[in-house]
Amino acid sequence: MQREEFIQQLWLDFVHQHPEIGGLRLWPVDAPAEYLALLTLNHRHHGMDALLPSLEHFGYRVRHRHAMADRGLLVNLLAAPDEGPWLVVAELQLGTLARAPRERLEALVNRASETAHRGPNRLCRGRPWPMPDWATYQALYQAHPLAALLAVNGPRLHHVGYDCQRLGDSLASLDEGLEQAGFAGTDDRHHGLFPVSPLLDYRFYPTGSRRLPFAEGDEHRIETGGLALVQKSVSANQERAVELLLPHHTRCELS
């Protein structure tokens, strides 16, 4: 698999979950995303140590690492080898969960088939383990919303971020267009997957909740992702917007 195919598979899996995003025509269909935000967990085949060789094969290189103890996350920013989208991989640290929810999530993850862990496309195959029952989802949500999301979604693309400057329009104008298309945005910098730096203007647009069938056959609506718009507050610097995405105080030194 080549990098272009990998990105395409991520996108196809994402718009299958969120067809309303795939149907947007506020910018050209081939407009480049600034970043792709993925959620995974530090469990065997799904942690960054296991994923990194495949991502490096596609030409991605870790540029920054960020630790967010209050969210139980380690976040890696991986630079693309060209002007394509960077990857922002958020890894939930299972050790931050209390014992009971951690064991429930681990038991679910361990039910995945070994074949589901093979190959570089494991981030775009969908959930590799069985769907949890509603009670398990609720218990995990109470412990950590991202643990519950991983239980039903698997390691996957959570949202796509677009840089307004690269789209050739202002955040205000694009926000108005998205509102007319039925998306209700929020400028809460903690609403998405991770907190966002004040160096960027930012809005997150959760997609409509999806009705999902749980293990015992009952169906419930949950929110599983969305899209984000970012715009540099100061345009004089040469960094890409994604390089300013995460708060500076969370940055770790790379060894």
Side-chain angles (χ1 to χ4, degrees):
M1 179 187 287
Q2 300 301 313
R3 182 168 55 90
E4 293 76 12
E5 183 184 354
F6 170 66
I7 295 298
Q8 182 183 43
Q9 290 299 318
L10 283 176
W11 176 252
L12 290 174
D13 178 60
F14 181 71
V15 297
H16 177 72
Q17 295 183 87
H18 309 289
E20 63 271 51
I21 291 180
L24 279 174
R25 293 298 178 264
L26 295 177
W27 45 77
V29 176
D30 59 353
E34 177 68 359
Y35 67 88
L36 305 176
L38 299 110
L39 175 63
T40 190
L41 68 165
N42 67 330
H43 186 276
R44 298 179 62 202
H45 309 283
H46 309 293
M48 277 302 298
D49 289 345
L51 297 172
L52 197 55
S54 293
L55 299 179
E56 288 179 335
H57 170 75
F58 295 137
Y60 288 100
R61 296 293 181 266
V62 176
R63 185 67 60 85
H64 304 298
R65 287 198 175 103
H66 295 257
M68 300 171 182
D70 58 331
R71 290 206 168 193
L73 290 179
L74 287 178
V75 182
N76 285 265
L77 265 67
L78 288 89
D82 53 20
E83 292 302 307
W86 285 31
L87 302 183
V88 184
V89 184
E91 182 186 49
L92 180 66
Q93 305 299 295
L94 293 181
T96 63
L97 299 176
R99 181 177 177 179
R102 182 177 71 248
E103 290 179 346
R104 289 183 92 155
L105 183 55
E106 287 176 337
L108 186 66
V109 171
N110 287 334
R111 292 174 64 194
S113 156
E114 281 298 316
T115 59
H117 305 308
R118 297 175 187 161
N121 61 339
R122 69 189 86 175
L123 289 168
C124 38
R125 282 178 173 171
R127 185 187 65 255
W129 46 78
M131 190 70 168
D133 57 45
W134 180 240
T136 295
Y137 173 83
Q138 288 181 304
L140 290 174
Y141 190 89
Q142 289 297 318
H144 197 308
L146 295 184
L149 182 57
L150 280 163
V152 300
N153 237 22
R156 221 171 196 167
L157 179 57
H158 176 268
H159 70 270
V160 178
Y162 289 95
D163 177 8
C164 299
Q165 183 177 355
R166 296 183 78 189
L167 294 179
D169 211 337
S170 69
L171 192 152
S173 175
L174 292 169
D175 177 62
E176 182 178 348
L178 283 165
E179 186 175 336
Q180 292 174 358
F183 288 81
T186 171
D187 57 6
D188 177 359
R189 295 175 181 274
H190 292 78
H191 186 86
L193 198 51
F194 35 67
V196 173
S197 164
L199 295 176
L200 293 177
D201 296 324
Y202 169 84
R203 284 189 75 79
F204 183 78
Y205 301 84
T207 52
S209 58
R210 298 168 59 212
R211 182 180 291 277
L212 296 178
F214 282 76
E216 296 177 348
D218 50 336
E219 296 187 351
H220 301 274
R221 287 192 170 276
I222 63 171
E223 182 185 299
T224 59
L227 68 85
L229 293 179
V230 297
Q231 181 175 275
K232 286 193 280 189
S233 304
V234 179
S235 58
N237 55 52
Q238 297 302 308
E239 297 118 319
R240 283 185 46 166
V242 64
E243 296 184 72
L244 306 174
L245 183 66
L246 296 168
H248 191 271
H249 73 271
T250 65
R251 186 176 296 180
C252 309
E253 292 294 328
L254 289 176
S255 57

